[in-house]
Amino acid sequence: MIKIINGREIAKDIRSEIEIEILNLKNRNIIPGLAVILVGDDPASNTYVRMKQKMCAELGIRTKDARPNSNISQEELHALIEEYNSDNEIHGILVQLPLPDQIDENLALSKVLPEKDVDGFHPANVGKVTLGEGGYVPATPAGIIEILLRSGNDPAGKNIVIIGRSRIVGRPLLNLLTQKRKGGNATVTMCHTSTKDLSFHTSKSDIIIVAAGTTNILDASMIKEGVVIIDVGTNRVEDSSKKSGYKLIGDVNFDSVAEKASAITPVPGGVGPLTIIMLMKNCVIAAGGSFK
Ligand code: GUN
């Protein structure tokens, strides 16, 4: 029987640890503060931001937000970031991605003060994390490692395939999973859109992490018996039985792999809740909190 890994439960455990640290900060008269910049009105980004802000409210993290129109100029966006860089009530700044085409994303992200870059996208943080010298770990990769450790699937010594080489998930994960420390020590293969024979790699893998942004990229014919699958995909598909008119599905053909895999994260309720809670953790660290 396949085990469905409950991301909501794991996130709840981490939330309890965060709540303790927020209380410690409160005793030092510090209220963590997160600023969110959401450019334009992309529906998926809107949903993510709403969920992040709801969690901040529940935890007692102060939020401020800016919602500029999608025709904002590079300079105007930099000015907004600068405003929050110099705001003493703000410890973390999140520029929701993707940004509109006229914006140079790397340039904009480099304007966030590295000590407020709770997303871990600033080159200084990418460098530190790559070198294993601290820095903010992006929330989704950090959450995936928590899922593996807390579900009894320590990556150490495992053969792992990552599908997808994005800045937000695949690249930082490749780095973290190969480091010589807790949550690392795996042998990792990175597959992407130019990989010739995906099955060749996935069929030998103990753990497969799928962050491709494409549905049905993995099915039973491509995996070995007992594999653990982490499905990072969130794809909207039409569903007239839902009030919203759509439902979320992952990148993996769930029903197909369920015959062979030993464990899988569902969509929704798998990686998603971890992505939100690990961002909260980075905000608390930015405000001066610490975790073991
Ligand atoms: N868009 C999709 N995922 C993320 C994320 O983790 N952070 C930001 N800022 N934007 C995103």
Side-chain angles (χ1 to χ4, degrees):
M1 259 288 277
I2 189 167
K3 180 185 170 208
I4 309 295
I5 299 174
N6 189 337
R8 293 193 180 106
E9 282 300 316
I10 296 173
K12 220 188 270 176
D13 292 342
I14 298 172
R15 176 179 171 150
S16 309
E17 299 161 19
I18 292 173
E19 282 170 343
I20 293 169
E21 206 42 41
I22 290 178
L23 260 182
N24 288 338
L25 287 173
K26 203 171 171 192
N27 290 335
R28 292 161 50 198
N29 291 318
I30 301 171
I31 301 168
L34 174 71
V36 178
I37 301 176
L38 172 60
V39 181
D41 50 11
D42 176 65
S45 290
N46 249 312
T47 306
Y48 291 140
V49 164
R50 193 165 4 94
M51 291 195 295
K52 289 168 185 173
Q53 289 180 318
K54 181 167 171 272
M55 181 61 77
C56 283
E58 285 176 26
L59 288 171
I61 295 177
R62 174 187 283 133
T63 57
K64 297 187 181 182
D65 68 359
R67 295 181 177 244
N69 193 291
S70 60
N71 60 16
I72 189 171
S73 72
Q74 188 85 35
E75 292 69 29
E76 286 166 331
L77 180 56
H78 292 179
L80 263 180
I81 293 171
E82 196 44 56
E83 213 174 286
Y84 291 130
N85 276 343
S86 51
D87 184 336
N88 289 335
E89 288 182 340
I90 291 301
H91 304 92
I93 301 171
L94 183 148
V95 182
Q96 185 68 27
L97 303 179
L99 291 168
D101 290 346
Q102 79 273 16
I103 302 289
D104 179 338
E105 198 167 276
N106 286 335
L107 183 60
L109 294 175
S110 75
K111 299 295 175 188
V112 176
L113 271 184
E115 52 271 34
K116 294 193 178 187
D117 170 41
V118 287
D119 252 332
F121 295 160
H122 188 286
N125 281 313
V126 175
K128 277 189 182 169
V129 170
T130 303
L131 293 168
E133 289 184 355
Y136 294 108
V137 179
T140 303
I144 290 169
I145 290 180
E146 289 292 340
I147 286 178
L148 291 173
L149 290 173
R150 293 177 191 240
S151 65
N153 295 294
D154 191 327
K158 302 276 172 33
N159 291 322
I160 302 185
V161 162
I162 300 170
I163 307 176
R165 54 184 158 185
S166 71
R167 168 220 299 277
I168 299 178
V169 187
R171 282 188 183 286
L173 252 185
L174 168 65
N175 185 270
L176 293 164
L177 287 169
T178 49
Q179 287 184 5
K180 198 169 184 174
R181 60 167 200 177
K182 190 172 170 219
N185 291 308
T187 303
V188 185
T189 304
M190 162 72 80
C191 295
H192 43 71
T193 43
S194 297
T195 298
K196 285 233 166 65
D197 184 355
L198 191 55
S199 289
F200 172 80
H201 300 285
T202 53
S203 61
K204 292 182 296 191
S205 187
D206 305 312
I207 298 172
I208 306 174
I209 301 168
V210 192
T214 312
T215 55
N216 286 315
I217 200 157
L218 195 74
D219 64 37
S221 71
M222 304 165 71
I223 59 174
K224 72 176 185 186
E225 201 75 44
V227 65
V228 173
I229 298 174
I230 306 293
D231 190 349
V232 192
T234 47
N235 305 287
R236 285 183 177 204
V237 292
E238 270 182 41
D239 182 347
S240 55
S241 71
K242 299 269 181 196
K243 207 167 63 186
S244 59
Y246 69 88
K247 65 173 178 178
L248 282 185
I249 62 167
D251 288 350
V252 172
N253 184 331
F254 187 95
D255 293 338
S256 171
V257 299
E259 297 163 22
K260 276 167 107 178
S262 65
I264 187 167
T265 57
V267 179
V271 175
L274 270 296
T275 295
I276 296 175
I277 207 68
M278 297 312 281
L279 172 71
M280 301 297 123
K281 187 170 173 176
N282 278 349
C283 283
V284 171
I285 293 170
S290 58
F291 294 87
K292 274 201 295 298

